[in-house]
Amino acid sequence: MTAAVEFRRVERHYGEVRAVDGVDLSIAQGEFFAMLGPSGSGKTTCLRLIAGFERPTGGEVAIMGAPMGDVPPYRRPVNTVFQDYALFPHLNVRDNVAYGLMIAGQGRAPRRRAADEALEMVALPGYGARKPSELSGGQRQRVALARALVMQPKVLLLDEPLGALDLKLREAMQEELKALQRRLGITFVFVTHDQGEALSMADRVAVFNDGRIVQAGTPEDIYYRPEAPFVADFVGSSNLLPPEVTRRLGLGDGPAALRPEAVRLVSEGGHAARVTGLAFLGTATRLSLDLDGHRMTALIPRGADMPAEGSDVRIGWAPDDLHLMKVSA
Ligand code: ADP
Ligand code: MG
């Protein structure tokens, strides 16, 4: 099947700044694809290259199999939902949603019908006559979504769309967005710097650093099988064992990642460690450990016997849980 979006060696340089520095990617139709990375890693620039607000300084962007070259934004089968919503304050909700259709020359009656349908899709039926100022932040976010969906894009681009919402609303919207994407079958390209958000929502995640994709894979790949220390470190609270430690302990020859929840206290075997701190987290306790001079953490589930601070313990893990990395970037 034709890819929804394809990047071939795409570059976007601004003078000396390499905002996007040789990105290859292929996003399948119907996929929920997340671009994850720290601020300044090139995520927004990649979205703008898909939308057509930016042109590559090298390489090629194709959408639905067609090279985009000089195709202007309004001729691309994509739409963008911005973090700040960018709603028109003087227009009511329905006219905001129908705006793109009006620009496209569609008549008043079909425009209204389409806008009301889109508002229903985002669970805001009957809100058409309100002004944006009469809505909550979450509702404005839905209007922005409806305004993009009404254009029936093949690909929906979302740039940190939940960034302005508080945690509870954010989590509710994550579930809703994901359900909506499944129902509509539209390809979503979702930019976020929040690893939890990317892992919980996406079919596939691309981890960005310095204008490049360090790793692209399923949330499980990214979380359990990081290919570089940067990914293990950015994507979760992983223990990163430097090559000296893995060598000294006879575990392997490169850096390794070990999730805190994979570390167990064992009565014999394993490795000697000292408990340097304890933090009660509710469902688990986080132990800070000194393993052969290296600081690491373990998450011990509620109910297990808890060692005292300063005590000597033995720790172990299932062999599969220690992930050795090829690169030492
Ligand atoms: P992200 O969305 O991951 O935070 P961006 O894609 O916005 O990152 O930016 C990537 C890098 O490119 C940053 O260093 C940013 O300062 C730079 N950059 C983005 N747009 C421009 C521009 N128009 N001119 C110069 N530098 C830019
Ligand atoms: Mg950005």
Side-chain angles (χ1 to χ4, degrees), residues 43-44 159-160 191:
K43 310 178 299 292
T44 293
D159 196 353
E160 311 247 6
V191 162

Side-chain angles (χ1 to χ4, degrees), residues 101-249:
L101 296 173
M102 184 186 77
I103 296 298
Q106 207 177 94
R108 194 172 154 79
R111 212 157 77 204
R112 276 181 81 104
R113 210 159 39 237
D116 286 344
E117 259 174 45
L119 284 169
E120 207 148 316
M121 249 183 250
V122 298
L124 280 183
Y127 280 72
R130 294 212 198 176
K131 287 281 169 60
S133 59
E134 296 165 328
L135 301 176
S136 71
Q139 290 170 333
R140 271 179 233 162
Q141 176 58 61
R142 285 163 206 252
V143 175
L145 190 61
R147 186 181 51 181
L149 291 172
V150 82
M151 304 305 287
Q152 299 188 295
K154 291 270 193 282
V155 181
L156 190 67
L157 309 174
L158 305 106
D159 196 353
E160 311 247 6
L162 309 179
L165 307 180
D166 63 54
L167 183 65
K168 225 169 165 164
L169 189 53
R170 198 179 164 108
E171 286 174 353
M173 280 300 287
Q174 286 171 3
E175 281 181 25
E176 256 185 64
L177 260 183
K178 171 117 187 139
L180 185 68
Q181 190 267 343
R182 286 280 174 269
R183 205 162 68 236
L184 299 176
I186 297 176
T187 308
F188 273 32
V189 185
F190 187 99
V191 162
T192 180
H193 63 266
D194 181 326
Q195 48 277 32
E197 190 161 281
L199 294 179
S200 67
M201 296 175 83
D203 298 315
R204 252 176 348 126
V205 179
V207 181
F208 279 73
N209 187 32
D210 274 344
R212 296 177 189 206
I213 294 178
V214 187
Q215 184 175 357
T218 64
E220 289 78 13
D221 287 337
I222 298 290
Y223 189 82
Y224 291 112
R225 294 174 288 279
E227 284 168 7
F230 177 83
V231 175
D233 197 33
F234 187 76
V235 165
S237 51
S238 207
N239 289 300
L240 277 178
L241 304 181
E244 314 84 83
V245 174
T246 58
R247 253 179 250 134
R248 229 169 21 233
L249 297 176

